[in-house]
Amino acid sequence: MPAGQNRRAVAVILLVPLMVTLALWAFSWPTARTAPRDLPVGIAGTAPAAEQLQKQFERREGAFEIHRYDDAAAARTAIEDRVVYGAVVATEQGPHLLTASAASPVVSQLLREAVTAAAPAGTAVPVTDVVAAPGADPRGGALGASILPLALAGVASGALVTLMKLRGARAAVTLSGAATLVGIAATAVAHSWLGVITGDWWTEAGTIGLTVLAIGSAVAGLAALIGPPGIGLGALLMVLLGNPFSGVTSAPELLPEPVGTIGQWLPPGAGGSLLRSVAFFDGSAAGGALSTLAIWVALGLAAVLIGGRNRPGNADATEPSERKPAPALTG
């Protein structure tokens, strides 16, 4: 066997276990270390009952970020605006828990357990789900599972544009068209058929399309700048890191640091947060995620345009059939 083939065989033998190890770490480690970390929750009511509730939360150092509100109405508004995941209201009858399962069913259950454990033995804590998850997806499983297909769609569009040797403006238009159709098709499935998202139809379609475009343009942009290895780098960034770090199945504040923060800087995490905002909260707290996706799109398409202009074999150049034939030699 030639030496070159031996080296390639050794590379495959070493690379496959490395990729599997990386995938197991990226997908399993955040899940195994799920716990609240500066999780925003509200405390409403007057002292001293509210102060006692706050002290109970503060006993778990670093777990909760406490926001104080004067009454239940203010706490409800904060939940609807996605400032906090839930709130505990101090009443004469005892604590009353306000949750938002649409923001995160996992966090809602966590708050139920925390408040119930802190209440006197035998005390029933009333719970009001201020922004409930849709009946078709009460545990948020379908929404959480949607991010991986969107990441794969984005990677596929970026890879196909590269492998088909589309360059410059043609590549940018192709990426945008594919993302638009993915947004429409995915919303037809998730909203119209399954009923797992319940916001404005076209806003949801735009959010999904923007997420796919951010991922696809990033992959195609990397490939335009550094060649075909950019496809692998983009897939690694968006699928192996972006998907498990997104926090869509739980919440970014439940993931180990800095995983939760990094995940929101990547398109899968930003897209998941934006989709949750427009699907259940009328777009509240959507600005940060929208800006993140817009930056990825701008940088990715800029790289596609610049790389397409500079790399050899530009598909926008004159096709071979259109070139003038070389003059015949006379002798």
Side-chain angles (χ1 to χ4, degrees):
M1 183 180 293
Q5 292 187 16
N6 287 335
R7 287 194 294 269
R8 288 193 290 270
V10 171
V12 170
I13 292 172
L14 296 177
L15 185 59
V16 171
L18 178 62
M19 293 299 295
V20 171
T21 301
L22 178 60
L24 287 174
W25 168 80
F27 280 86
S28 301
W29 174 62
T31 303
R33 297 292 184 269
T34 297
R37 296 170 177 85
D38 292 323
L39 184 72
V41 297
I43 300 293
T46 57
E51 292 179 354
Q52 183 63 32
L53 288 172
Q54 181 171 342
K55 289 179 180 178
Q56 292 174 353
F57 276 95
E58 290 175 343
R59 288 173 184 169
R60 298 180 62 177
E61 185 175 355
F64 299 100
E65 178 185 282
I66 305 300
H67 296 246
R68 287 293 297 269
Y69 300 101
D70 293 335
D71 51 33
R76 282 175 173 269
T77 300
I79 293 172
E80 293 167 350
D81 291 342
R82 299 203 70 187
V83 176
V84 295
Y85 282 91
V88 186
V89 183
T91 68
E92 295 180 355
Q93 294 74 31
H96 180 186
L97 177 61
L98 306 178
T99 65
S101 58
S104 171
V106 175
V107 171
S108 295
Q109 183 61 34
L110 184 151
L111 292 177
R112 286 172 183 257
E113 294 172 355
V115 174
T116 301
T123 301
V125 178
V127 179
T128 300
D129 200 346
V130 177
V131 185
D137 188 27
R139 298 182 180 179
L143 180 64
S146 68
I147 298 304
L148 179 57
L150 298 184
L152 293 175
V155 171
S157 65
L160 288 173
V161 162
T162 302
L163 297 175
M164 291 181 178
K165 301 186 184 303
L166 300 178
R167 303 282 188 260
R170 187 175 298 169
V173 171
T174 302
L175 289 167
S176 300
T180 299
L181 291 180
V182 170
I184 293 173
T187 305
V189 172
H191 183 120
S192 303
W193 179 30
L194 299 178
V196 298
I197 51 178
T198 57
D200 178 77
W201 201 97
W202 287 106
T203 303
E204 292 168 346
T207 296
I208 294 172
L210 184 63
T211 302
V212 174
L213 180 58
I215 297 169
S217 60
V219 172
L222 286 170
L225 294 177
I226 66 176
I231 297 175
L233 180 59
L236 177 70
L237 189 63
M238 299 301 170
V239 178
L240 283 185
L241 295 183
N243 183 66
F245 288 11
S246 67
V248 177
T249 57
S250 55
E253 294 85 357
L254 296 184
L255 300 180
E257 287 295 344
V259 167
T261 301
I262 293 173
Q264 296 306 297
W265 292 344
L266 297 173
S273 294
L274 181 58
L275 182 58
R276 197 181 291 277
S277 287
V278 301
F280 307 125
F281 294 88
D282 296 324
S284 296
L290 180 61
S291 298
T292 299
L293 292 176
I295 290 171
W296 277 97
V297 169
L299 293 177
L301 293 183
V304 168
L305 295 173
I306 295 171
R309 188 179 302 125
N310 295 337
R311 288 179 62 80
N314 193 324
D316 291 333
T318 304
E319 296 294 335
S321 60
E322 298 175 356
R323 295 171 185 165
K324 294 181 179 180
L329 295 178
T330 59

